[in-house]
Each structure stands twice: as C-alpha cells, then as structure tokens.
Amino acid sequence: MAGASVLALAGVAALVMNHYEIPPFTDKGEAVSFGKPHTGDSGEAVKPPANSKMSMPTGPKADFKNSMTLPDGTHVAVTTLDGKKSGFKGKVWVWAPKEYDDPKFAKSGFPVMIALPGGAGYPNNYWMGTDLGLQTSISKWYAEGKSKPFILAMPVLNPGPDDKGVYWDGSDIPDQPKMGTWLTDDVPDLVRANFRTVKSRDGWAYMGSSTGGFASLKAVLKHPDKFKAAICSGPDIVPDSSLWKGHDKEKAENNPELLAKALIDKKGPDVYLAFQVGTNESNKNTLPNVEKFIAAYGKGPVHTELKIIQGGQHNAKTYVPNMGEGPIQYISKVMEGPVE
C-alpha cells in the first residue's frame, strides 16, 4: 500500500508539474522546427516547378521555442523577431495545423492567418494561449469542411503597454514605432521564411478583435495586393489613437473608410471582410458603426458579411465559437490552400 501511495503521489506531482510547465515534465522552451523538406530519391530537397502556386521557406530559419503543446501534438512556438523593415523588435507566436506535417501535403503551401488581439496586445498576444481555443477550432473547422487549414501568426500588436489610453492603431504614426509595417511586412516575411506558404494574396488573411479587428480591416484595405480577407470582430472603424494629433494626413492614409472608398474608385482588387458584432458590446456604437460602414462601402470590390451575435459581448470568448458559424466559411471560400 505504501508503494502504491508513493506511485500515486508521484503521478499527481507529475501532473501538477506538467500543468505548471516545470521541466522535465514539459517540453516548453524546447526548440521547434516546422515541417520536413520534401526530398527526392537522391535525398536532396525537391524544388517546386516554376509555375507552382506554393512558396518554399525562404530562410533564414527563426529560433522558435515551444510555448505550448496541444493534445494533437502540434506546437505553439514563439520567437523574437527583429523587424528589418519596421525597425521594431518583438515577439511572434506561430502555430501550424497537424496537416502541415502530413506526408500527403509535403509539397503543399498553406494559407496564413495573422491573428491580432484586442487591448494592448503587449507583451503577449492572447491568441497564443489555448484557453480561447483558436488553434483547436481551426483544426475542427477544417475537419468539418468549414475552414482552410491556416497557419497562424500571432504577433504583439503594440510596442508597449496600453498606458493611460495610449495605443498605436496598428499603424506607422510619425515619430512612433512603425507598427503598421511590422504587421504587414515583417510578420508575413517571418512566416514566408519558415513555412511553405501560398505565393499569391489568395493565401493571406487577417483576423482580430477590437483594436486587432481595426488593424485587420485596415491591413487588408491598405494592402489589397498582399492580403485578400479579414475577420473583424467588434472592431473600431476609424483610427482614434491620441498619437495621431498633428498628423492628419497620415491619419487619413490609415482610415478604413477612406481606404475602402479609394479601392472602390480603383475597382479592385476584390477583398472580403467578415464582421462579427455582439448585441451586448461594451461600446454601443460598435454595431451601428459597422452597419454604417457596410452600407456605405460594402460594394464593388469590397465584399462584406455581418454576423450579429445575440447576447454576444466584447471579448474573444464570444468571437471564437461564432467564427465557425459563418465568418470562417465566408473567407475560406475565396481563399486558396493547400496548393502545390
């Protein structure tokens, strides 16, 4: 009995240490590499044909460390990215679905979703935690035929804490860190360097809630040549950071309403925007503002869909489950991947 008790206690201790991620009962912090090169009979990596829709990892490889291991064996990993174009240095978490390592997809490029949080989005991006279920939901939705098997990139949104209402609107505000360039250039470059991706914009999307919803909306409207779709949950519609003071020209250049109008005037390219708004949002203007945007700009190349979540509140726990009931299908239908 004494031996059994000791074993039982040891088992409980192991579970506790695993829960709190205390080595050696966890693989947190271990190096992670995603995917294996597709090799031919000679053992050398096979290059895709020139007309391939997929892009092989361009390198250099990032130093990814395991942040969390999911029950299906996939990893949420983190690296510190020194943004070459923005000059900003910050953390990015990544996750690839189990299909990415499936031999039948060894020659395939995968679609990418850049997931942006609300609030400060610093020093963490809350989508990197599994409590919100984004990663497991993507896998479930793909199995149900609702979603593409997206690679997720989850960068920090702001260069510092949301102190006294100061935030950066996911934009290049003069005399401030270039968070717009960070989100639309440096983070995609990191993903291309380390993963098999889709060459064209047909494999690139954003999603975000609140401030992250605004940044997602703006990114697609400002760079429709690079990104095709976004899921915007409880988003702001216009830039409202206090840091824009004295920079009206630059503020206008980051206004989704003006960007949408310009895209309509140019007649494309087509973008697809799936909005989600709860009826119990903390800001009662959120739903009217989104409806006004759709009424004014949801035409021509700006394709929109709105899901109103009855009883839904302004939080990620409301938005994730409802993504599977419309928004994820809406953008997945117009995107590509996996592709060879």
Side-chain angles (χ1 to χ4, degrees):
M1 288 182 63
S5 297
V6 169
L7 287 173
L9 287 171
V12 171
L15 289 172
V16 169
M17 287 188 278
N18 182 63
H19 176 77
Y20 288 104
E21 299 178 313
I22 301 172
F25 298 94
T26 176
D27 56 358
K28 182 175 182 179
E30 292 185 1
V32 174
S33 62
F34 292 92
K36 302 174 180 64
H38 176 62
T39 58
D41 295 336
S42 66
E44 294 183 359
V46 175
K47 293 182 180 180
N51 62 349
S52 172
K53 291 184 175 182
M54 69 90 77
S55 175
M56 291 293 289
T58 60
K61 284 187 176 181
D63 182 23
F64 286 116
K65 300 296 184 184
N66 190 34
S67 177
M68 194 172 300
T69 300
L70 277 64
D72 65 358
T74 59
H75 301 283
V76 178
V78 63
T79 191
T80 298
L81 172 62
D82 190 354
K84 297 297 185 287
K85 295 176 181 175
S86 68
F88 175 72
K89 187 175 183 179
K91 288 185 177 180
V92 182
W93 289 261
V94 298
W95 173 82
K98 64 181 185 297
E99 287 77 19
Y100 189 80
D101 279 324
D102 188 327
K104 77 176 183 179
F105 291 114
K107 296 187 288 183
S108 299
F110 278 66
V112 177
M113 180 179 285
I114 299 171
L116 305 180
Y122 179 92
N124 294 322
N125 177 324
Y126 56 56
W127 298 118
M128 59 79 174
T130 58
D131 55 322
L132 296 173
L134 178 59
Q135 292 83 3
T136 52
S137 294
I138 293 290
S139 292
K140 174 176 175 288
W141 295 331
Y142 175 61
E144 293 172 348
K146 296 178 177 179
S147 174
K148 297 294 185 185
F150 291 103
I151 295 169
L152 293 178
M154 300 161 277
V156 295
L157 180 62
N158 285 323
D162 185 359
D163 187 25
K164 298 179 181 178
V166 175
Y167 49 94
W168 286 259
D169 272 345
S171 304
D172 290 1
I173 300 176
D175 305 319
Q176 299 293 330
K178 295 182 177 180
M179 301 314 294
T181 299
W182 161 259
L183 295 175
T184 60
D185 282 297
D186 290 329
V187 172
D189 285 349
L190 170 73
V191 180
R192 290 189 188 92
N194 290 275
F195 293 89
R196 304 186 308 275
T197 57
V198 180
K199 281 182 181 177
S200 76
R201 73 186 193 106
D202 293 335
W204 293 83
Y206 280 84
M207 67 147 282
S209 54
S210 193
T211 301
F214 166 82
S216 297
L217 173 65
K218 179 175 69 72
V220 173
L221 290 171
K222 191 168 186 176
H223 303 284
D225 56 321
K226 297 195 290 187
F227 310 106
K228 191 171 189 178
I231 297 175
C232 311
S233 302
D236 302 320
I237 294 297
V238 296
D240 60 0
S241 170
S242 61
L243 298 170
W244 288 115
K245 186 176 181 180
H247 304 293
D248 291 346
K249 176 180 177 293
E250 292 84 359
K251 183 178 180 179
E253 292 169 351
N254 287 275
N255 185 326
E257 292 181 338
L258 299 179
L259 292 167
K261 182 180 183 304
L263 189 59
I264 293 167
D265 290 344
K266 289 190 298 183
K267 296 181 169 54
D270 292 274
V271 296
Y272 297 80
L273 308 172
F275 293 92
Q276 289 194 117
V277 184
T279 57
N280 288 339
E281 294 274 344
S282 52
N283 182 351
K284 299 306 179 185
N285 290 321
T286 300
L287 180 55
N289 288 343
V290 169
E291 290 177 326
K292 181 180 176 183
F293 177 90
I294 291 173
Y297 306 107
K299 57 189 176 182
V302 182
H303 305 271
T304 61
E305 179 179 83
L306 171 60
K307 179 177 178 58
I308 298 176
I309 305 168
Q310 296 301 322
Q313 298 180 330
H314 189 71
N315 58 54
K317 289 187 177 179
T318 287
Y319 300 138
V320 171
N322 285 283
M323 277 176 58
E325 301 304 319
I328 200 73
Q329 296 102 310
Y330 180 73
I331 69 164
S332 292
K333 286 177 182 177
V334 298
M335 296 186 69
E336 289 195 344
V339 295
E340 293 188 9

